[in-house]
Amino acid sequence: MATSPQTYRRARFGSVLRRLREQRKLTQSAVAAQVGVGVDKINRVESGRVKLEVPLLRTLLDTYGVQDQVRRDAMEDMVVNLAKPDWWASYSLHLALQDYLGLEKDALAAWAWEPLLVHGRMQTKRYAEALLSAGESVIPGGRERVENMVAVRMHRQEVVTSSLTVVLNSAALDTEVGGPDVMREQIAHLLTRSEVDLRILLAGRPHVGLDGAFTKLRFPDGGELACVESLVTTSYYDDADSLTLYERAAGQLTELALDRSASRAYLEERARVL
């Protein structure tokens, strides 16, 4: 049986199928018998260790009673995308980042809390280069890595079109990444991104977001995910308790932040005084 690299992206999709099976109170053995495959195949599909073909997906969705055609079509598209190289394949990226970019591509919408940095999908080229250069002596790869990652961030902005909401801590604008000229350019760029729901949270009040940045992804198959990035990897949380906690945290941060109009006025003022 041909297996594929077990990434979180593939395993997440498998877990969606597992939950659909469990909602019907079916065992893996019962499903295998109904669809005419070995139980090991069902196990490997649900754990993300084997490629899933569209015909088998359709049969599984029939077995699980999924009739929503929009959802079915979205899941078929995701299976096709899982099986083919994508835009990041031409870059030298570690598997954890490839995994996240794939999850982001699959997502219908993203919500992000950024306490220290401008969100990657909204960074200018000069901001990204100055930011990544600051870690050049710490993170392996040197200048080649910086140039590669800047190219990835710019390409990402061209191809990722899912809905994006960002709550940005005003403190992120206090760090002059690249100097005043770069920051003026960066803030001017933020003001052009009208398709993004950008909210500014003024520094000075304690809140749950002081624990660090996180992103919530929502998928067309009904799944959700909370993501926490570190220097080493990205951690994912999709259990009900964790998702509830991150949803409550996102709610608090959104409530504390300025609305879109006031956020724009704040950015315009910051650009004037830089």
Side-chain angles (χ1 to χ4, degrees):
M1 180 180 296
T3 59
S4 305
Q6 186 177 13
T7 64
Y8 188 88
R9 183 189 183 199
R10 192 180 295 278
R12 188 207 69 82
F13 191 85
S15 71
V16 171
L17 294 174
R18 174 179 53 77
R19 284 193 291 270
L20 287 172
R21 173 179 60 77
E22 291 173 345
Q23 288 169 7
R24 302 290 287 190
K25 300 188 182 334
L26 294 170
T27 64
Q28 289 184 343
S29 297
V31 171
Q34 286 190 47
V35 304
V37 299
V39 66
D40 187 55
K41 174 78 169 184
I42 300 300
N43 181 272
R44 287 174 177 264
V45 164
E46 292 187 355
S47 62
R49 291 180 289 133
V50 68
K51 176 182 175 181
L52 175 61
E53 305 84 2
V54 169
L56 177 56
L57 172 66
R58 290 173 179 167
T59 303
L60 289 173
L61 294 180
D62 289 341
T63 302
Y64 302 151
V66 178
Q67 298 179 348
D68 183 341
Q69 193 59 48
V70 172
R71 187 180 186 188
R72 291 176 67 104
D73 290 345
M75 293 182 75
E76 285 189 23
D77 288 343
M78 291 168 75
V79 164
V80 171
N81 288 333
L82 280 167
K84 66 181 183 182
D86 220 307
W87 66 265
W88 55 84
S90 59
Y91 299 96
S92 177
L93 302 177
H94 57 80
L95 186 59
L97 180 54
Q98 293 180 51
D99 209 16
Y100 179 80
L101 292 173
L103 289 163
E104 183 180 63
K105 180 179 182 294
D106 293 340
L108 187 66
W111 184 103
W113 158 240
E114 293 287 358
L116 298 174
L117 305 170
V118 172
H119 191 272
R121 282 175 61 182
M122 304 184 77
Q123 292 176 7
T124 64
K125 184 176 182 179
R126 290 208 297 165
Y127 180 99
E129 184 171 11
L131 181 64
L132 290 162
S133 294
E136 192 173 340
S137 63
V138 178
I139 302 174
R143 194 64 200 168
E144 182 179 352
R145 172 190 171 274
V146 172
E147 293 174 355
N148 187 59
M149 290 303 300
V150 170
V152 168
R153 291 193 185 183
M154 296 305 100
H155 196 165
R156 175 190 182 196
Q157 292 182 21
E158 294 175 3
V159 299
V160 180
T161 59
S162 55
S163 170
L164 176 63
T165 298
V166 177
V167 177
L168 178 66
N169 191 353
S170 63
L173 303 176
D174 292 335
T175 302
E176 290 190 357
V177 176
D181 287 346
V182 172
M183 290 306 298
R184 273 192 292 269
E185 179 186 67
Q186 177 62 71
I187 293 174
H189 179 68
L190 294 178
L191 289 166
T192 69
R193 298 293 299 274
S194 58
E195 81 283 6
V196 177
D197 185 354
L198 176 61
R199 314 292 183 99
I200 303 297
L201 196 159
L202 300 181
R205 295 182 59 181
H207 51 74
V208 69
L210 294 175
D211 276 345
F214 66 91
T215 301
K216 292 170 59 263
L217 299 177
R218 180 165 55 86
F219 298 92
D221 57 30
E224 292 183 277
L225 193 60
C227 317
V228 180
E229 187 177 1
S230 71
L231 283 175
V232 179
T233 189
T234 301
S235 299
Y236 301 110
Y237 304 90
D238 64 356
D239 61 283
D241 289 344
S242 294
L243 289 174
T244 297
L245 181 62
Y246 277 105
E247 182 65 27
R248 290 169 60 188
Q252 183 193 69
L253 294 168
T254 301
E255 184 177 346
L256 291 174
L258 301 174
D259 64 24
R260 293 188 69 173
S261 177
S263 295
R264 182 175 184 84
Y266 178 85
L267 290 172
E268 290 171 342
E269 179 61 23
R270 284 301 298 265
R272 279 193 292 268
V273 301
L274 268 174

